[in-house]
Amino acid sequence: MLSPRLEWMLGCCSCAGCDAHVGQAELQVQLSSDFAIQSARRHLLTRGDSFDITFTPRSLGDGEPRSPHQAGGRPGLLTPRQRDLRDNLELPSLNTYPVAPSCTSDDGEEERRTKLLAMYQEFALDLHTGMYLTQLTSNRDYSDIHCQLMEDMTTLKLDQSNGRIIEFPLTNVSKVYRIVKNDDKFYTPGTVVPSEKGAKSEHIVVVEFLRRKLAFVYKEVAVAQRFMICMELLIRRAQQKQALRSLTPTFPPRHAQASHGQCPTPRQVYEAMSRTAPPSPAASAGPDRSL
């Protein structure tokens, strides 16, 4: 004797089963896409793609920690290497520090420094990962280029998608400044721009090297200020590291080696023995004049 469950399954697959259920009920199948639409609405994307490095939502240095589930939340996406880079990245030594765009007049000096450091670290990590920026060429054309900060945090690498990758040492930067472009006319920051044309204004940050200029275009003034401030901090850091390397001797003094227990190199041993060795008797007797 078959179980009721198995009998029901066999009845659904046989004509006899269909005849048995004709008088009981009518089977109706409705095809509708409403359920699929409702399911799609229930599962909207509520966070950014962690593998998408072409665009990252960037803060203006508010210093407030983000949730890992928030779009663009840095804390949930940092790798151990990025954490080390962020923790080891400090502000360069300056007499006066710039003010982050997110700071208010009520913020104290310590709070401003904290917001500036947070904005600086986030910008350095974004640039180290790589980002696409809009460049204004010498022909006044716009092109999207990929910029990336190399591992030493002192060299900027540009990929113009034409098979050429150019490296720009930040130590060769002479100055960084910002201008406003409006209807093919350029204004200095603070200049009054006609109100009817204010919506078309573009903010351009120019990074000037010894023989070349890089102009980056931004639509918002706060984002342009963020790029300019952080780029200046990276440049100051690179220049200070280069100056420190030039002042550091290649070989430490001998008393420092003795105090730290370091062994001298073979070359240093040879030079020391050649300086302290007494002259040979043949050399002290002078040249032999006998025939």
Side-chain angles (χ1 to χ4, degrees), residues 53-284:
I53 63 174
T54 59
F55 175 78
T56 303
R58 302 176 178 95
S59 69
L60 298 176
D62 50 8
E64 297 179 359
R66 297 181 181 181
S67 171
H69 300 287
Q70 187 176 354
R74 268 286 179 193
L77 304 179
L78 287 182
T79 62
R81 176 58 179 165
Q82 289 176 333
R83 291 194 189 97
D84 293 339
L85 290 175
R86 180 196 61 185
D87 297 340
N88 295 329
L89 195 62
E90 298 293 339
L91 294 173
S93 299
L94 299 175
N95 295 329
T96 57
Y97 288 90
V99 180
S102 62
C103 292
T104 60
S105 57
D106 298 333
D107 296 337
E109 186 67 24
E110 190 66 25
E111 188 174 358
R112 291 183 180 183
R113 184 76 62 85
T114 302
K115 291 183 178 181
L116 180 63
L117 178 60
M119 182 183 69
Y120 172 57
Q121 290 176 342
E122 183 181 2
F123 175 83
L125 287 180
D126 287 340
L127 198 58
H128 179 265
T129 304
M131 64 175 69
Y132 284 95
L133 300 177
T134 303
Q135 180 188 13
L136 181 64
T137 63
S138 57
N139 300 329
R140 297 191 177 184
D141 295 331
Y142 296 89
S143 63
D144 293 334
I145 59 174
H146 185 267
C147 301
Q148 188 173 9
L149 198 62
M150 298 187 67
E151 195 68 22
D152 56 356
M153 292 285 188
T154 60
T155 305
L156 186 64
K157 182 171 61 175
L158 268 65
D159 185 1
Q160 298 178 340
S161 300
N162 57 359
R164 298 176 57 189
I165 298 178
I166 309 176
E167 297 180 358
F168 294 92
L170 296 181
T171 54
N172 295 342
V173 177
S174 57
K175 62 179 177 179
V176 182
Y177 56 93
R178 182 173 62 91
I179 56 178
V180 180
K181 181 177 179 292
N182 189 295
D183 287 345
D184 292 335
K185 295 181 180 179
F186 296 93
Y187 303 88
T188 58
T191 305
V192 179
V193 182
S195 58
E196 65 273 5
K197 301 179 181 179
K200 302 179 182 179
S201 298
E202 295 177 342
H203 303 273
I204 303 174
V205 179
V206 182
V207 182
E208 185 172 344
F209 293 85
L210 298 178
R211 298 182 180 179
R212 186 167 178 175
K213 297 180 180 179
L214 297 177
F216 301 98
V217 183
Y218 293 94
K219 299 294 184 181
E220 302 177 3
V221 59
V223 181
Q225 290 177 348
R226 173 185 182 267
F227 180 85
M228 180 178 174
I229 292 174
C230 296
M231 185 60 67
E232 286 180 338
L233 293 176
L234 286 174
I235 294 169
R236 291 291 185 181
R237 175 183 176 273
Q239 293 174 350
Q240 290 179 6
K241 289 189 66 175
Q242 185 186 41
L244 183 61
R245 280 197 300 265
S246 62
L247 296 176
T248 303
T250 306
F251 294 100
R254 296 183 181 278
H255 62 83
Q257 291 181 357
S259 61
H260 290 82
Q262 297 179 357
C263 297
T265 61
R267 182 181 181 85
Q268 292 174 343
V269 173
Y270 174 78
E271 292 177 352
M273 293 181 64
S274 62
R275 284 195 297 265
T276 58
S280 60
S284 60

